[in-house]
Amino acid sequence: MSKAASRFAFVSSDTDDALAARENLSARYGQVPVAEAEIIIALGGDGFLLQTLRETMSTGKKVYGMNRGTIGFLMNEYRAGGLEERIANAVAETIRPLEMVAVTHDGESVAAPAINEVALWRQSYQTAKIRITIDGQVRLEELNCDGVMIATPAGSTAYNLSAHGPILPLDAPLLALTPVSPFRPRRWRGALLSNKATVRFDILEAEKRPVNAAADHTEVKAVASVTVRESPTATATLLFDPNHSWNERILAEQFRY
């Protein structure tokens, strides 16, 4: 095992393809525990990569994903050979997650990070009614909708794009505030916010019109309010092959349709 390869920890999702890739690469390049590794090689899909980023956030470790899932928008192409050279030439992108603090009807406070988005959506057949406050000022007294979200540039091509939100360059100091199926105001398409903004969602008629919230995959049921801001301290670092950087993918995505 080379000195360079000894920095690698291979982790994978539980699919057959990902497990086989981890076994193959570990045998080829060697394996060290995640706690001792400089580079984490994540094998799976985008969901598994986000999980790996959350688990290694603010540790200084860099994560290089290879696609053993389905779409793999955030992943590099899977190839077993030349991994040391690919890592040496990779481009690092450092991102900051969102911080969600959700307060439930019962007064419980739940905090969670989100790399992609913090999303709220109705829990029953009735539309949600949500007040939106930004930096202490009410900007929308009542949004009637199926849901609403705050997305980072990293997450702007995920759920946000499906809800017709804007695609943001990775280095843009912006957050996307995007409604999901707005009923009133019917033509409201959302807003672009500074990444320094603090956004608060208050659920109106919460018992009659219950709402859930999620920071990526951390879900909180029956929320009364949700506050979201970009973390001032937490970071995660991704590595991309230079011929297919994240910024290039985001730019290409805007000309795909």
Side-chain angles (χ1 to χ4, degrees):
M1 180 173 59
S2 73
K3 181 178 179 181
S6 68
R7 302 174 300 159
F8 298 164
F10 296 94
V11 297
S12 73
S13 65
D14 58 3
T15 66
D16 290 342
D17 284 347
L19 291 169
R22 184 179 68 182
E23 182 177 356
N24 178 25
L25 294 171
S26 297
R28 184 166 186 167
Y29 296 100
Q31 169 82 303
V32 299
V34 169
E36 299 174 14
E38 180 182 343
I39 310 292
I40 311 297
I41 312 295
L43 304 162
D46 288 341
F48 181 73
L49 180 64
L50 291 175
Q51 174 186 325
T52 304
L53 288 171
R54 286 192 296 271
E55 292 173 352
T56 59
M57 195 174 293
S58 298
T59 63
K61 300 181 188 301
K62 299 174 182 178
V63 179
Y64 181 85
M66 286 201 287
N67 189 20
R68 292 284 82 189
T70 50
I71 297 175
F73 182 81
L74 303 177
M75 311 296 276
N76 298 290
E77 179 185 355
Y78 176 76
R79 295 197 306 272
L83 182 58
E84 294 177 4
E85 182 179 358
R86 291 176 74 183
I87 295 295
N89 294 327
V91 177
E93 300 281 4
T94 299
I95 59 177
R96 289 192 180 276
L98 299 173
E99 293 179 345
M100 176 189 79
V101 178
V103 179
T104 70
H105 293 168
D106 298 329
E108 180 186 5
S109 181
V110 180
I115 293 170
N116 270 358
E117 76 279 316
V118 172
L120 290 75
W121 64 93
R122 64 187 174 103
Q123 190 178 333
S124 72
Y125 69 93
Q126 291 186 303
T127 59
K129 291 188 176 183
I130 302 172
R131 177 186 300 121
I132 300 176
T133 303
I134 300 171
D135 293 333
Q137 182 175 350
V138 175
R139 292 293 182 179
L140 196 55
E141 282 285 357
E142 185 177 300
L143 171 65
N144 290 258
C145 60
D146 281 353
V148 65
M149 77 188 79
I150 292 285
T152 67
S156 66
T157 56
Y159 186 21
N160 173 74
L161 180 59
S162 297
H164 307 291
I167 295 176
L168 304 178
L170 192 61
D171 55 358
L174 298 170
L175 301 173
L177 172 60
T178 302
V180 179
S181 301
F183 180 67
R184 290 286 187 275
R186 189 180 297 274
R187 297 185 182 278
W188 188 65
R189 300 298 299 273
L192 291 176
L193 307 178
S194 164
N195 64 337
K196 305 302 181 185
T198 297
V199 182
R200 178 183 169 106
F201 302 102
D202 287 289
I203 312 308
L204 310 178
E205 301 180 23
E207 292 187 5
K208 180 182 178 182
R209 303 170 184 270
V211 168
N212 292 351
D216 288 346
H217 300 298
T218 302
E219 184 175 356
V220 184
K221 295 185 179 297
V223 296
S225 69
V226 176
T227 302
V228 184
R229 66 168 186 164
E230 184 183 81
S231 172
T233 56
T235 60
T237 302
L238 275 167
L239 295 175
F240 292 99
D241 291 332
N243 61 344
H244 201 34
S245 70
W246 201 345
N247 273 328
E248 170 58 30
R249 296 180 207 195
I250 287 176
L251 183 62
E253 191 75 16
Q254 295 178 78
F255 293 90
R256 180 165 294 179
Y257 303 103

